[in-house]
């Protein structure tokens, strides 16, 4: 098992984000994270390669390094019912559970580089559960169903609709929960929470830059010719809120369609790369009506 703690002094998301602005160069939203680590200064002073490298080194120390469990395991002081009530599916990077993948055979690939593991929500920390730890609680299929129900029941802490020219609009949910971005697994229900209606048959554009943020744009809320501009704006937003974030998930943008995540935009430090997908391109042509949906 690995346990991930909330960094000391981490800002809670009790205050909604300011209304965002979409502009030609990207998306601007005010958000703050504070680590409060005494060791941060030491990391910074040990790096001589510039401010961006300091930020990355601090991020790696805070957000990605698993920490040993302090005190007795939860199974020793929580009943089976209490454990089940805290069970959640957690979307994490594949390397978060490596090199221990043999202990997590229940992990499910949800997108390139991302997988879903079952974990316990301990409020200020998350404990991923190995196959052996799950066994006393029941079968994996039933446990995942229960965990998804728990995920659906989480409240929406903060919801902001970002607006741009010509009706461009997408939604951003921000939350203190470690499982905020994992709610992409229940995107249809989340869309209803955010917009008052479920997703149509064409799904939604989604992005999970870090574990505390999820961006979503139902496809049927934009005009056909607005879909690619919206995708570009979400790409800029995701890149901005992935870089230097604590608890990074993915800098990429996806299409949630029929319960499946398809990566549309890959960002790996250079220019965003559009991933050609026949289904999505057919969707663009259909929405545009005349085949002129534009180019990414």
């Amino acid at each position: 098992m690995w346990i991930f703690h909330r960094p000391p002094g981490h800002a809670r998301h009790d205050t909604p984000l300011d209304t965002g602005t979409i502009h030609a160069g990207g998306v601007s939203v005010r958000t703050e994270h504070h680590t409060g680590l005494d060791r941060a200064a030491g990391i910074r002073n040990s790096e001589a390669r510039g401010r961006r490298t300091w930020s990355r080194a601090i991020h790696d120390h805070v957000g990605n390094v698993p920490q040993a469990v302090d005190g007795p395991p939860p199974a020793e002081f929580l009943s089976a019912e209490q454990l089940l009530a805290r069970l959640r599916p957690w979307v994490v990077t594949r390397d978060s559970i490596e090199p221990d993948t043999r202990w997590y055979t229940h992990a499910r690939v949800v997108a390139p580089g991302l997988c879903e593991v079952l974990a316990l929500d301990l409020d200020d920390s998350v404990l991923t559960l190995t196959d052996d730890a799950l066994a006393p609680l029941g079968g994996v299929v039933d446990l995942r169903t229960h965990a998804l129900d728990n995920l659906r029941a989480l409240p929406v802490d903060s919801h902001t609709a970002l607006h741009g020219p010509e009706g461009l609009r997408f939604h951003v949910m921000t939350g203190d929960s470690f499982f905020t971005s994992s709610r992409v697994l229940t995107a249809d229900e989340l869309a209803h929470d955010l917009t008052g209606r479920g997703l149509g048959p064409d799904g939604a554009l989604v992005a999970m830059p870090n574990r505390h943020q999820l961006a979503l744009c139902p496809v049927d809320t934009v005009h056909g010719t607005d879909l690619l501009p919206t995708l570009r704006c979400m790409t800029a937003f995701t890149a901005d809120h992935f870089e230097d974030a604590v608890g990074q998930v993915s800098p990429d943008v996806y299409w949630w369609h029929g319960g499946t995540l398809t990566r549309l935009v890959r960002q790996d430090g250079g220019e965003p790369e559009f991933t050609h997908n026949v289904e999505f391109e057919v969707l663009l042509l259909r929405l545009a009506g005349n085949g002129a949906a534009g180019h990414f």
Side-chain angles (χ1 to χ4, degrees):
M1 298 184 208
W2 293 110
I3 190 164
F4 296 79
H5 294 283
R6 190 183 313 285
H10 177 72
R12 301 186 69 88
H13 296 280
D14 297 328
T15 303
L17 291 172
D18 288 347
T19 299
T21 303
I22 302 175
H23 49 81
V27 182
S28 300
V29 176
R30 189 182 70 190
T31 184
E32 298 179 357
H33 297 280
H34 301 285
T35 62
L37 287 180
D38 294 336
R39 188 163 181 263
I43 294 173
R44 185 189 66 184
N45 293 333
S46 68
E47 292 288 348
R49 290 171 291 172
R51 180 178 178 275
R52 189 173 300 277
T53 307
W54 299 341
S55 298
R56 177 65 56 209
I58 293 170
H59 159 266
D60 290 343
H61 176 72
V62 177
N64 285 349
V65 179
Q67 303 180 32
V69 180
D70 296 324
E76 293 187 8
F77 60 86
L78 294 176
S79 67
E81 291 76 14
Q82 289 173 319
L83 291 172
L84 288 173
R86 292 178 175 271
L87 193 65
R88 316 269 190 269
W90 200 27
V91 175
V92 295
T93 58
R94 180 74 177 174
D95 58 13
S96 295
I97 61 171
E98 292 178 346
D100 299 317
T101 52
R102 67 188 184 279
W103 304 113
Y104 296 93
T105 62
H106 74 273
R108 189 178 70 94
V109 175
V110 296
L114 297 179
C115 65
E116 169 203 318
V117 295
L118 293 178
L120 291 180
D121 185 351
L122 301 177
D123 297 330
D124 285 333
S125 60
V126 175
L127 181 67
T128 61
L129 298 175
T130 63
D131 297 341
D132 288 345
L134 287 171
L137 298 177
V140 170
V141 174
D142 289 340
L143 289 176
R144 181 172 185 269
T145 298
H146 190 86
L148 284 169
D149 288 341
N150 290 340
L151 191 67
R152 292 184 183 98
L154 292 178
V156 175
D157 288 356
S158 174
H159 165 219
T160 301
L162 302 185
H163 299 269
E166 300 178 5
L168 295 184
R169 172 190 177 112
F170 63 90
H171 302 267
V172 177
M173 183 179 71
T174 302
D176 196 55
S177 170
F178 279 81
F179 298 87
T180 299
S181 63
S182 297
R183 293 189 65 176
V184 71
L185 299 172
T186 58
D188 190 61
E189 293 90 344
L190 178 61
H192 189 276
D193 290 343
L194 299 183
T195 69
R197 52 183 293 195
L199 294 178
D202 294 325
L205 305 180
V206 296
M208 307 84 71
N210 58 74
R211 63 193 177 211
H212 298 291
Q213 283 185 316
L214 173 62
L216 180 145
C217 176
V219 171
D220 62 4
T221 63
V222 295
H223 298 296
T225 53
D226 289 340
L227 192 57
L228 280 181
T230 301
L231 180 58
R232 285 193 289 268
C233 287
M234 288 184 67
T235 297
F237 170 88
T238 305
D240 187 43
H241 288 263
F242 173 84
E243 186 173 3
D244 299 331
V246 173
Q248 291 176 332
V249 178
S250 174
D252 303 332
V253 183
Y254 302 85
W255 179 31
W256 191 95
H257 181 228
T260 299
L261 282 174
T262 299
R263 183 167 62 187
L264 296 178
V265 179
R266 182 175 183 269
Q267 304 198 80
D268 192 21
E271 289 296 317
E273 176 186 347
F274 182 75
T275 302
H276 292 286
N277 177 270
V278 173
E279 274 192 279
F280 188 72
E281 291 174 1
V282 169
L283 170 65
L284 290 176
L285 293 174
R286 175 165 55 81
L287 294 179
N290 58 5
H295 299 281
F296 185 76

